Amino acid sequence: MKAAAVYPDKKSLGVVADFPEPKIGAPAQIKFRVLNVGVCGTDREIASFVYGTPPEGSDYLVIGHECLGEVVEAGAEAGSIKPGDLVIPMVRRPCHHPECVACQVGRSDFCYTGDYRERGIMKMHGFMTELVVDEARYMNVVPAAIREVGVLVEPLTIAEKALIQTLNVQQRLPWGRTKYRHRAVVLGAGPVGLLGAMALAVRDFDVTVYSRDREPNSSADIVKAIGGRYISSQDRTIEQMAGDVGSIDLIYEATGASQLAFDVLRVLGTNGIFILTGVPGRHGPIQFDTDTIMRNLVLKNQCVLGTVNAGKDAFEQAVTDLAAFYARWPRAVKGLITGRFPLEEFAQPIHNQTGIKNIIEI
Ligand code: BGC
Ligand code: ZN
């Protein structure tokens, strides 16, 4: 079989021609045919050799963790999953330390030890290949109606996990007891930002996306199609943007730019929550007005929350939500996928990021 791989030692990318075809080795496993794999910033980091670790004994890592597959074979103990089902595999696998209470209870997205593995990222091959065997319990079945856009489920789980936690934290407030529409600002108009904006819009938040590019651009069109407001940082300063929006209840950061994030933290409203999802590169230190930030955090009851990866609950909610987005805004959701490449050309969208979401079609 073919597989798209990164060779960290040789610092190169290549298609493995004879990647061994996997076989079901335990009754709780399933085998699926890979249909689509999304390319994201994490893949780009792995392909620039700053992140990512091959499985033990391998000199390469098969990449790809945003996957949509079709089940071709199911073991006797694979539960209700059957051939023909469309599935989204989860990315992270638990560590094996008995003291890690998170991994012990199936919440490796909250792993304490850092010894988890991630398919296509950390010590496990990923999904940019033809056939995959995995355990049925990590699969999430998606309805055939969202086949075309199903590959967006995994990037959407980032927002879903963030929202599950946000609604928990904000139980501290009298939210949801009045007709007041909460105001959300999304930083960044890439796939994570736009999917986050959709997740907020279906929950009836007043959504503003603040991003660099001026209009017209296709991300701004998508924001408007879902009823949101688009503001370019080239036209409006952070303070002006905050003035346009009004008191900001929630900021969802999806850029990975730490300077921008902490600058925008200044304008978070009273009782607001600031969610960080981006992973910045390590640049030099920068200066911040920490007195203002700390005064606001305390005097305005604010909360800052970082979040990574996602559990089963977020995957299930992402499947439900993506179907809802697709029913409500079919063109906008389809418009998120802007490039399709064959496996042989997987390096192209990695080296040359254009459009919104690029995918590999197997
Ligand atoms: C993936 C997460 C993963 C994270 C860090 C992201 O791109 O979506 O599942 O935990 O990278 O490796
Ligand atoms: Zn753990």
Side-chain angles (χ1 to χ4, degrees), residues 236-248 267:
R236 306 288 284 160
T237 64
I238 291 168
E239 270 68 24
Q240 289 171 329
M241 176 274 288
D244 296 344
V245 173
S247 181
I248 304 174
V267 300

PDB file of all heavy atoms in Angstrom, residues 236-248 267:
ATOM      1  N   ARG A 236      -9.567  47.693  11.481  1.00  0.00           N
ATOM      2  CA  ARG A 236     -10.002  48.075  12.817  1.00  0.00           C
ATOM      3  C   ARG A 236      -9.001  47.575  13.845  1.00  0.00           C
ATOM      4  O   ARG A 236      -8.634  46.390  13.834  1.00  0.00           O
ATOM      5  CB  ARG A 236     -11.380  47.456  13.137  1.00  0.00           C
ATOM      6  CG  ARG A 236     -12.459  47.749  12.105  1.00  0.00           C
ATOM      7  CD  ARG A 236     -12.953  49.165  12.097  1.00  0.00           C
ATOM      8  NE  ARG A 236     -13.856  49.476  13.200  1.00  0.00           N
ATOM      9  CZ  ARG A 236     -14.102  50.727  13.607  1.00  0.00           C
ATOM     10  NH1 ARG A 236     -13.498  51.751  13.024  1.00  0.00           N
ATOM     11  NH2 ARG A 236     -14.941  50.948  14.592  1.00  0.00           N
ATOM     12  N   THR A 237      -8.591  48.460  14.749  1.00  0.00           N
ATOM     13  CA  THR A 237      -7.710  48.024  15.838  1.00  0.00           C
ATOM     14  C   THR A 237      -8.507  47.128  16.788  1.00  0.00           C
ATOM     15  O   THR A 237      -9.739  47.047  16.708  1.00  0.00           O
ATOM     16  CB  THR A 237      -7.205  49.227  16.662  1.00  0.00           C
ATOM     17  OG1 THR A 237      -8.356  49.841  17.277  1.00  0.00           O
ATOM     18  CG2 THR A 237      -6.479  50.248  15.788  1.00  0.00           C
ATOM     19  N   ILE A 238      -7.787  46.499  17.709  1.00  0.00           N
ATOM     20  CA  ILE A 238      -8.462  45.633  18.685  1.00  0.00           C
ATOM     21  C   ILE A 238      -9.499  46.429  19.475  1.00  0.00           C
ATOM     22  O   ILE A 238     -10.627  45.970  19.685  1.00  0.00           O
ATOM     23  CB  ILE A 238      -7.405  44.996  19.613  1.00  0.00           C
ATOM     24  CG1 ILE A 238      -6.571  43.989  18.806  1.00  0.00           C
ATOM     25  CG2 ILE A 238      -8.056  44.333  20.820  1.00  0.00           C
ATOM     26  CD1 ILE A 238      -5.329  43.492  19.506  1.00  0.00           C
ATOM     27  N   GLU A 239      -9.129  47.640  19.899  1.00  0.00           N
ATOM     28  CA  GLU A 239     -10.070  48.455  20.682  1.00  0.00           C
ATOM     29  C   GLU A 239     -11.298  48.842  19.848  1.00  0.00           C
ATOM     30  O   GLU A 239     -12.418  48.824  20.335  1.00  0.00           O
ATOM     31  CB  GLU A 239      -9.380  49.722  21.236  1.00  0.00           C
ATOM     32  CG  GLU A 239      -8.750  49.527  22.606  1.00  0.00           C
ATOM     33  CD  GLU A 239      -7.537  48.603  22.618  1.00  0.00           C
ATOM     34  OE1 GLU A 239      -6.886  48.449  21.562  1.00  0.00           O
ATOM     35  OE2 GLU A 239      -7.245  48.016  23.683  1.00  0.00           O
ATOM     36  N   GLN A 240     -11.052  49.184  18.581  1.00  0.00           N
ATOM     37  CA  GLN A 240     -12.197  49.528  17.714  1.00  0.00           C
ATOM     38  C   GLN A 240     -13.106  48.321  17.507  1.00  0.00           C
ATOM     39  O   GLN A 240     -14.328  48.427  17.558  1.00  0.00           O
ATOM     40  CB  GLN A 240     -11.697  50.040  16.359  1.00  0.00           C
ATOM     41  CG  GLN A 240     -11.053  51.415  16.440  1.00  0.00           C
ATOM     42  CD  GLN A 240     -10.373  51.801  15.120  1.00  0.00           C
ATOM     43  OE1 GLN A 240      -9.879  50.956  14.383  1.00  0.00           O
ATOM     44  NE2 GLN A 240     -10.350  53.090  14.837  1.00  0.00           N
ATOM     45  N   MET A 241     -12.490  47.179  17.279  1.00  0.00           N
ATOM     46  CA  MET A 241     -13.276  45.950  17.098  1.00  0.00           C
ATOM     47  C   MET A 241     -14.138  45.703  18.335  1.00  0.00           C
ATOM     48  O   MET A 241     -15.336  45.418  18.247  1.00  0.00           O
ATOM     49  CB  MET A 241     -12.329  44.771  16.835  1.00  0.00           C
ATOM     50  CG  MET A 241     -12.958  43.402  16.723  1.00  0.00           C
ATOM     51  SD  MET A 241     -13.182  42.568  18.303  1.00  0.00           S
ATOM     52  CE  MET A 241     -11.509  42.139  18.752  1.00  0.00           C
ATOM     53  N   ALA A 242     -13.521  45.849  19.526  1.00  0.00           N
ATOM     54  CA  ALA A 242     -14.272  45.612  20.769  1.00  0.00           C
ATOM     55  C   ALA A 242     -15.411  46.627  20.897  1.00  0.00           C
ATOM     56  O   ALA A 242     -16.501  46.286  21.375  1.00  0.00           O
ATOM     57  CB  ALA A 242     -13.339  45.691  21.970  1.00  0.00           C
ATOM     58  N   GLY A 243     -15.172  47.844  20.440  1.00  0.00           N
ATOM     59  CA  GLY A 243     -16.229  48.855  20.454  1.00  0.00           C
ATOM     60  C   GLY A 243     -17.374  48.475  19.516  1.00  0.00           C
ATOM     61  O   GLY A 243     -18.550  48.654  19.836  1.00  0.00           O
ATOM     62  N   ASP A 244     -17.026  47.918  18.362  1.00  0.00           N
ATOM     63  CA  ASP A 244     -18.061  47.498  17.399  1.00  0.00           C
ATOM     64  C   ASP A 244     -18.930  46.378  17.985  1.00  0.00           C
ATOM     65  O   ASP A 244     -20.136  46.323  17.754  1.00  0.00           O
ATOM     66  CB  ASP A 244     -17.418  46.944  16.110  1.00  0.00           C
ATOM     67  CG  ASP A 244     -16.613  47.998  15.349  1.00  0.00           C
ATOM     68  OD1 ASP A 244     -16.785  49.202  15.635  1.00  0.00           O
ATOM     69  OD2 ASP A 244     -15.796  47.602  14.482  1.00  0.00           O
ATOM     70  N   VAL A 245     -18.278  45.471  18.729  1.00  0.00           N
ATOM     71  CA  VAL A 245     -18.981  44.273  19.202  1.00  0.00           C
ATOM     72  C   VAL A 245     -19.817  44.570  20.439  1.00  0.00           C
ATOM     73  O   VAL A 245     -20.947  44.088  20.576  1.00  0.00           O
ATOM     74  CB  VAL A 245     -17.961  43.140  19.504  1.00  0.00           C
ATOM     75  CG1 VAL A 245     -18.634  41.940  20.171  1.00  0.00           C
ATOM     76  CG2 VAL A 245     -17.263  42.696  18.211  1.00  0.00           C
ATOM     77  N   GLY A 246     -19.271  45.360  21.363  1.00  0.00           N
ATOM     78  CA  GLY A 246     -19.915  45.517  22.680  1.00  0.00           C
ATOM     79  C   GLY A 246     -19.243  44.570  23.659  1.00  0.00           C
ATOM     80  O   GLY A 246     -18.260  43.908  23.303  1.00  0.00           O
ATOM     81  N   SER A 247     -19.743  44.474  24.863  1.00  0.00           N
ATOM     82  CA  SER A 247     -19.079  43.668  25.893  1.00  0.00           C
ATOM     83  C   SER A 247     -18.924  42.211  25.431  1.00  0.00           C
ATOM     84  O   SER A 247     -19.906  41.551  25.111  1.00  0.00           O
ATOM     85  CB  SER A 247     -19.879  43.745  27.195  1.00  0.00           C
ATOM     86  OG  SER A 247     -19.205  42.991  28.177  1.00  0.00           O
ATOM     87  N   ILE A 248     -17.672  41.737  25.371  1.00  0.00           N
ATOM     88  CA  ILE A 248     -17.410  40.412  24.782  1.00  0.00           C
ATOM     89  C   ILE A 248     -17.497  39.328  25.858  1.00  0.00           C
ATOM     90  O   ILE A 248     -16.763  39.339  26.844  1.00  0.00           O
ATOM     91  CB  ILE A 248     -16.021  40.375  24.108  1.00  0.00           C
ATOM     92  CG1 ILE A 248     -15.903  41.482  23.052  1.00  0.00           C
ATOM     93  CG2 ILE A 248     -15.768  39.003  23.485  1.00  0.00           C
ATOM     94  CD1 ILE A 248     -14.507  41.613  22.432  1.00  0.00           C
ATOM     95  N   VAL A 267      -9.409  43.182  25.970  1.00  0.00           N
ATOM     96  CA  VAL A 267     -10.759  43.695  25.697  1.00  0.00           C
ATOM     97  C   VAL A 267     -11.855  42.669  26.018  1.00  0.00           C
ATOM     98  O   VAL A 267     -13.026  42.876  25.681  1.00  0.00           O
ATOM     99  CB  VAL A 267     -10.914  44.198  24.231  1.00  0.00           C
ATOM    100  CG1 VAL A 267      -9.928  45.334  23.958  1.00  0.00           C
ATOM    101  CG2 VAL A 267     -10.744  43.067  23.219  1.00  0.00           C
TER     102      VAL A 267
END
